Amino acid sequence: MSAPSTPASGQVRMNPPVFYFAATFILLFGIVVIAMPEQAGAWLLQAQNWAANTVGWYYMLAMTLYLVFVVVTALSGYGKIKLGADHDEPEFSYLSWAGMLFAAGISITLFFFCVSEPLTHLSQPPQGEAGTADAARQAMQILFLHWGLHGWGVFAFVGMALAYFAYRHNLPLALRSALYPLIGKRINGPIGYAVDGFGIIATVFGLGADMGFGVLHLNSGLDYLFGIAHTQWIQVGLITLMMGAAIIVAVSGVDKGVRVMSDINMLLACALLLFVLFAGPTQHLLNTLIQNIGDYLGALPMKSFDLYAYDKPSDWLGGWTVFYWAWWIAWSPFVGLFIARISRGRTIREFVFGVLLIPLGFTLAWMSIFGNSAIDQVLNHGMSALGMSAIDNPSMTLYLLLETYPWSKTVIAVTVFISFVFFVTSADSGTVVLSTLSAKGGNPDEDGPKWLRVFWGAMTALVTSALLFSGSIDALKSAVVLTSLPFSLILLLMMWGLHKAFYLESQKQIAQLHSLAPVSGSRRGGWRQRLSQAVHFPSRDEVYRFLDTTVRPAIEEVTAVFVEKGLNVVTQPDPANDSVSLEIGHGEQHPFIYQVQMRGYFTPSFARGGMGSKELNNRRYYRAEVHLSEGSQDYDLVGYTKEQVINDILDQYERHMQFLHLVR
């Protein structure tokens, strides 16, 4: 692939085309819905029905393709590719990484749907007779489908694309980077900016849906505990309060305290899950968990394509499965960016299976234990009111279930507290991700400007409030289905780009295997000098001088000859003077990129001699590493003569020509 191998430069700042495109659309949408809530709600519902009846098949097919793509990629030879340079090691241990993936699987919406959804499917199944054991089994099968592998498959896909192009090819940590193999440098033009803009729009509405369900759930909890009215204005007040808290967290640097609270919150969530398991019919819940997993895996291929095409026409598919697939797609930039940032240095294989399986285990256990507890109460203990609540007032259903357990008031109060913290941390993370997606410059791991976090927090609160006023749950679902549709097409293009990048990388590796003449001559000074150089750890100044006196003249001489041959040669200025590079264009073919970049490392302990502890900890040495379009080649030029540097450039150029021969 012909990605430029230059590091990001400059201060992180707003990306005007992306920001204004996304912000204008979202602001206009919010104003129209607030000005005409009833009409907007009717329009949204009509549009969702159209989408379900017209492109429902497309959503089902697209989500299955995302999942198949990541699994096949992980199992293929591409699974060995690292999300980063070949020598990069993971920043986090397996345990820490697994813990963060586990945290990514917990959301306030788990509380909203874990009871209300299976009871709704029990009372209103898409097929068969309602209120029977078969309906209960089907309800859990559908619940697992909606919260299972398909959703985490699209998260894994977006995270893999972001991490691969950012950390292996030094492209921006942005959605448009995945289109580089298809459109080249035009990713930094209108097409690329439109891709990022659609990603932001989908994310805002996905986050808005999450906040909408969350605030309904919290309002019901406060109503149960304190009698606070379940009204739209109360919900707007809750949205304003909690989004305000999230914005303060996002801009004030108190993130560490919130993370500690979030860790405690996850422990409380696990404790709540265990309480429901052991205070309820434990044996029955364990039996149903295992059976639910078997039913889900056994029916997964069929359910992935089940459109109920031979049943009577209904709105069930659009209101449930199509909505879920659109919601997962809308959330994919948010969660994908998070898991990409924590996964640098992982192979694609361990990344994909870690993302697919670690959060999934907790999610399905949560859904099974709460869902089967509720179904047991309805089918075996005569709690028909609980089943009716799932239809009439779904946000209250979890609290009505917990009411049947010991210490119900305390347990419900803890549940409300857990939900509140999850709401704030999700909104905080969402504003940071949105600011990053609408920014440019800086390093891939830098967040967007603080003022962008404030702006996107306000926009998300506006969208959520507007949708609640225009039709509550139905409006939330409709907006997500519609705004995710164009972004789902972008994901398919990203899949094509990622596949092409993997193919080009495999061909590049084949080209590297061809035997070429070694660098002519030995290093200056004979073998003694060569040995001295091998155990020498140069300072920054030494490498600067080497770049100026040896590498730069070598590249200038080679550039002059290439220009004489009529080739299009581009030199890339480096304001920091810590890299030297050239790029040779080949028309529509992939350009040749050769860059020597200074990289710093901590000096090995065996080379530090009698240094004191402070000096030992701070001593760094530097290398002049060769980078090609696919990233660092992990070898150092320091000690080479100018002629040897020229020969190395020519060796790499000959390999590149062999690569072009293979992919022409």
Side-chain angles (χ1 to χ4, degrees), residues 57-330:
W57 63 269
Y58 161 75
Y59 270 111
M60 300 289 285
L61 183 61
M63 284 294 287
T64 303
L65 284 175
Y66 303 145
L67 176 60
V68 170
F69 178 82
V70 295
V71 172
V72 171
T73 299
L75 293 175
S76 71
Y78 300 144
K80 298 177 182 179
I81 296 174
K82 277 194 175 183
L83 299 174
D86 288 336
H87 62 278
D88 279 347
E89 293 298 327
E91 181 180 358
F92 304 102
S93 67
Y94 272 110
L95 187 61
S96 298
W97 184 61
M100 287 184 280
L101 290 177
F102 170 80
I106 301 180
S107 165
I108 191 172
T109 49
L110 288 178
F111 294 82
F112 186 96
F113 286 103
C114 64
V115 174
S116 63
E117 183 178 348
L119 289 182
T120 301
H121 299 328
L122 178 68
S123 302
Q124 298 177 347
Q127 293 174 321
E129 184 181 352
T132 63
D134 287 339
R137 190 170 179 178
Q138 180 185 213
M140 294 308 300
Q141 192 178 79
I142 294 170
L143 184 67
F144 272 38
L145 174 72
H146 291 164
W147 292 87
L149 287 169
H150 283 80
W152 285 101
V154 72
F155 287 173
F157 166 65
V158 174
M160 178 172 65
L162 288 170
Y164 176 79
F165 287 103
Y167 300 138
R168 192 164 181 86
H169 293 282
N170 293 325
L171 285 166
L173 189 65
L175 299 166
R176 66 182 185 274
S177 295
L179 300 186
Y180 192 92
L182 305 180
I183 63 174
K185 294 181 179 179
R186 283 178 291 175
I187 63 168
N188 294 318
I191 297 175
Y193 294 145
V195 166
D196 284 347
F198 279 117
I200 290 173
I201 291 169
T203 303
V204 166
F205 282 90
L207 186 61
D210 184 77
M211 291 180 60
F213 290 122
V215 79
L216 291 173
H217 169 75
L218 282 171
N219 195 171
S220 293
L222 295 174
D223 186 10
Y224 185 93
L225 291 172
F226 308 112
I228 296 177
H230 204 123
T231 67
Q232 290 175 327
W233 285 110
I234 291 293
Q235 291 158 14
V236 171
L238 287 172
I239 291 171
T240 304
L241 173 66
M242 290 184 288
M243 182 53 80
I247 291 173
I248 291 172
V249 170
V251 302
S252 64
V254 295
D255 187 63
K256 183 177 179 181
V258 173
R259 291 304 165 207
V260 172
M261 182 63 71
S262 181
D263 291 341
I264 296 173
N265 212 40
M266 283 190 290
L267 293 175
L268 289 174
C270 292
L272 177 63
L273 180 66
L274 294 175
F275 170 77
V276 173
L277 173 62
F278 290 111
T282 307
Q283 189 65 41
H284 173 70
L285 294 178
L286 293 175
N287 288 340
T288 52
L289 172 60
I290 300 304
Q291 183 162 330
N292 294 157
I293 293 173
D295 287 345
Y296 167 61
L297 294 177
L300 183 61
M302 180 190 71
K303 283 295 182 184
S304 298
F305 302 97
D306 194 352
L307 290 162
Y308 306 100
Y310 293 97
D311 296 321
K312 292 182 180 180
S314 72
D315 297 332
W316 187 93
L317 187 71
W320 287 105
T321 305
V322 172
F323 158 69
Y324 266 110
W325 289 171
W327 195 13
W328 285 102
I329 289 170

Side-chain angles (χ1 to χ4, degrees), residues 32 38 56 60 107 111 164 191 246 270 342 391 406-407 424 446 466 480 506 539 580 591 611 623:
V32 169
E38 293 184 3
M60 300 289 285
S107 165
F111 294 82
Y164 176 79
I191 297 175
C270 292
I342 64 173
I391 306 296
W407 313 300
V424 172
E446 285 189 74
V480 170
S506 68
S539 66
V580 186
M611 296 178 183
R623 288 158 48 102

